[in-house]
Amino acid sequence: MTTATTATAASPYQSYVYAYPHKTAYRRLPDRPGLRDLWAAEPKNALSLYLHIPFCEVRCGFCNLFTRIGAPDGLTGAYLDALERQAGAVREALGDRNGVRFATAAFGGGTPTFLTAAELTRLCDIAERRMGADLRAVPLSVEASPATATADRLAVLAERGTTRLSLGVQSFVDSEARAAVRPQRRADVEAALARIREAGIPVLNIDLIYGIDGQTEQTWLRSLDAALAWHPEELYLYPLYVRPLTGLGRRTATDPDPAWDAQRLHLYRTGRDHLLAHGYTQQSMRMFRRADAPPQGADDYACQTDGMIGLGCGARSYTSGLHYSFDYAVDMHEIRGIVDDYVSRPAGDFAHAEIGRRIGVDEARRRHLLQSLLQAEGLRHDDYRTRFGAAPGDHFGAELGRFAHRGWLTDDGTVLRLTAEGLAHSDAIGPGLFSPAVRAAMAAYERK
């Protein structure tokens, strides 16, 4: 990547909006509301379950996720003990067992497959026996890295009903992997992919990143073709971000750079067109699905809707009126402290929400608009009107007008949909819909 030059407000790479509001807008909740009260009036017949494992064997240079490198002896076991205590408290707070049903499940991190095969078995047991999720009957997505996608771990996941395995590859070019501070060899990646296919998990997703230092159109196509050789059911193409407190952020300028923006935009278009030409359909700016892939139920963005139960110290939970989690950090020292605090908590501590953000009507509208508009299928007017009693333009006419003026948005009277160029600028459109209050809270957040 090039060094930073003059900032530009028109950067297409402002922020990846995968959840709204972002955790940096959360604050400590003085009243520590009880989960029983928070969930009492919520629909509980189609919940999403997310279990977070905050451990990785290495930390990639671009990563700002809540995860720590390695685990001292006994820490993963202590973490699962705490996860089980939390699951018990949360399940009790949800109330009537017959009225609670989970429609989707996911294990994320971090790297869930950092756990041993025996620990993964216990993780599945917590989801099933403590929470009541039938993992073999619902879509179950699990994240993995090449080094931890071992045959014994994959066998556990396949046997327990995993329908989707997402492998973080990022690049099949060894020099690019090193530039992203991701020590791996292509041979090891290929071996991991072979093991995943042998395990028989129905959907393989491969994550790739564009915009890495030294990457060219030719090396980007080389990575894409290497991925396509495995016929993955899904591919995610991520632009590289250099964020504060990450490995790359400590040694690289993080200001907007028009030249780097242009390079990433070119590589995005190259990758998009290549996948479309090879029989993939575009679901969002990042997600591409093979046209003949088996249906998977809800896409990733649907797991960010109301009715999500998050377990683990890096997980979020969403009710219609409150989003809540544990503390958030990027710095390694801070993360270790939060994990240590989590594993020491008694069961009673998990019956309350401590950090979060209340969601009013305006934020609910923005959230629905964001989640729908950033998907290729767009936002249906009748869905919005049914939920909010008005047309999207009645609430967001100015913002939608600006997007349409730029050629990013079309409206046929039935569906608001991003154009191809609009999808390319999703990371500018998303932040453009943040409320002033959320912007202010994010700006005031003290990084740690």
Side-chain angles (χ1 to χ4, degrees):
M1 72 205 68
T2 59
T3 56
T5 57
T6 305
T8 171
S11 171
Y13 301 104
Q14 295 178 26
S15 179
Y16 172 24
V17 183
Y18 62 92
Y20 178 81
H22 190 266
K23 262 190 178 180
T24 53
Y26 292 11
R27 293 296 183 268
R28 195 162 294 278
L29 303 167
D31 56 339
R32 296 182 73 238
L35 300 190
R36 185 179 295 276
D37 293 335
L38 287 177
W39 287 96
E42 298 290 313
K44 294 185 278 289
N45 62 339
L47 297 171
S48 297
L49 179 64
Y50 175 76
L51 277 64
H52 183 89
I53 303 300
F55 305 107
C56 289
E57 72 273 18
V58 295
R59 181 159 189 158
C60 303
F62 52 82
C63 179
N64 72 335
L65 298 177
F66 185 90
T67 188
R68 60 165 291 165
I69 303 170
D73 287 346
L75 182 57
T76 53
Y79 184 84
L80 290 173
D81 289 343
L83 196 69
E84 190 156 7
R85 292 195 298 275
Q86 185 187 9
V90 171
R91 187 62 193 81
E92 183 178 353
L94 290 176
D96 176 26
R97 184 166 293 274
N98 294 327
V100 175
R101 176 183 172 272
F102 290 94
T104 65
F107 302 158
T111 307
T113 48
F114 180 90
L115 300 178
T116 65
E119 289 171 333
L120 283 171
T121 296
R122 186 179 177 196
L123 184 69
C124 293
D125 286 345
I126 291 171
E128 291 190 328
R129 298 175 186 174
R130 286 290 185 176
M131 293 303 297
D134 187 350
L135 298 182
R136 295 178 179 86
V138 302
L140 170 61
S141 178
V142 181
E143 297 171 3
S145 67
T148 61
T150 58
D152 58 340
R153 292 174 170 105
L154 293 169
V156 169
L157 295 175
E159 193 278 327
R160 298 304 287 265
T162 301
T163 54
R164 178 180 182 271
L165 197 290
S166 181
L167 192 71
V169 174
Q170 319 316 347
S171 177
F172 283 86
V173 179
D174 289 353
S175 61
E176 292 179 3
R178 289 193 298 271
V181 194
R182 184 179 178 85
Q184 67 184 27
R185 296 183 306 131
R186 176 171 175 173
D188 297 328
V189 172
E190 301 278 1
L193 287 163
R195 292 191 295 271
I196 293 167
R197 282 311 197 193
E198 186 175 351
I201 294 170
V203 172
L204 165 65
N205 172 70
I206 296 176
D207 288 344
L208 296 175
I209 286 181
Y210 53 92
I212 300 170
D213 194 20
Q215 190 176 50
T216 65
E217 180 178 331
Q218 289 68 36
T219 62
W220 176 227
L221 288 169
R222 194 183 312 162
S223 272
L224 289 165
D225 285 336
L228 288 171
W230 291 96
H231 306 289
E233 284 72 25
E234 294 177 5
L235 276 158
Y236 271 72
L237 309 185
Y238 289 94
L240 179 64
Y241 275 92
V242 176
R243 301 176 176 95
L245 303 182
T246 62
L248 289 177
R250 292 187 181 96
R251 67 190 201 197
T252 309
T254 58
D255 297 325
D257 177 357
W260 190 32
D261 285 348
Q263 181 210 19
R264 285 181 288 179
L265 200 54
H266 172 69
L267 293 176
Y268 159 78
R269 290 170 175 149
T270 298
R272 175 199 63 195
D273 294 348
H274 198 64
L275 294 186
L276 293 178
H278 281 78
Y280 285 75
T281 60
Q282 186 168 16
Q283 307 296 308
S284 68
M285 172 184 166
R286 287 163 171 77
M287 182 184 180
F288 295 80
R289 179 178 289 143
R290 210 177 69 204
D292 62 346
Q296 267 295 286
D299 289 331
D300 282 357
Y301 80 99
C303 295
Q304 301 292 339
T305 56
D306 300 341
M308 188 167 88
I309 302 286
L311 302 180
C313 58
R316 313 170 198 208
S317 296
Y318 303 133
T319 69
S320 58
L322 179 73
H323 295 183
Y324 62 93
S325 67
F326 294 95
D327 205 0
Y328 170 71
V330 176
D331 177 77
M332 282 286 97
H333 177 75
E334 296 283 352
I335 290 173
R336 286 194 293 270
I338 295 170
V339 173
D340 290 346
D341 171 72
Y342 176 82
V343 301
S344 69
R345 288 176 176 244
D349 275 10
F350 296 121
H352 300 269
E354 296 185 0
I355 293 172
R357 187 170 186 87
R358 299 196 181 275
I359 306 298
V361 174
D362 178 66
E363 297 296 11
R365 292 170 183 156
R366 290 178 185 276
R367 178 173 163 77
H368 183 79
L369 180 64
L370 275 163
Q371 289 175 324
S372 303
L373 199 59
L374 296 184
Q375 303 301 308
E377 64 184 21
L379 170 68
R380 294 189 60 84
H381 283 267
D382 54 359
D383 288 346
Y384 189 92
R385 187 178 294 277
T386 297
R387 184 167 179 180
F388 300 111
D394 294 337
H395 296 142
F396 302 105
E399 295 95 327
L400 298 176
R402 285 196 297 270
F403 300 151
H405 179 72
R406 288 175 175 262
W408 293 351
L409 182 69
T410 63
D411 184 359
D412 64 3
T414 301
V415 180
L416 276 170
R417 186 178 284 117
L418 295 183
T419 63
E421 198 61 15
L423 283 172
H425 287 80
S426 292
D427 286 6
I429 290 171
L433 291 170
F434 291 3
S435 72
V438 164
R439 288 178 183 275
M442 292 176 67
Y445 174 76
E446 187 175 339
R447 294 191 182 103
K448 56 185 179 182

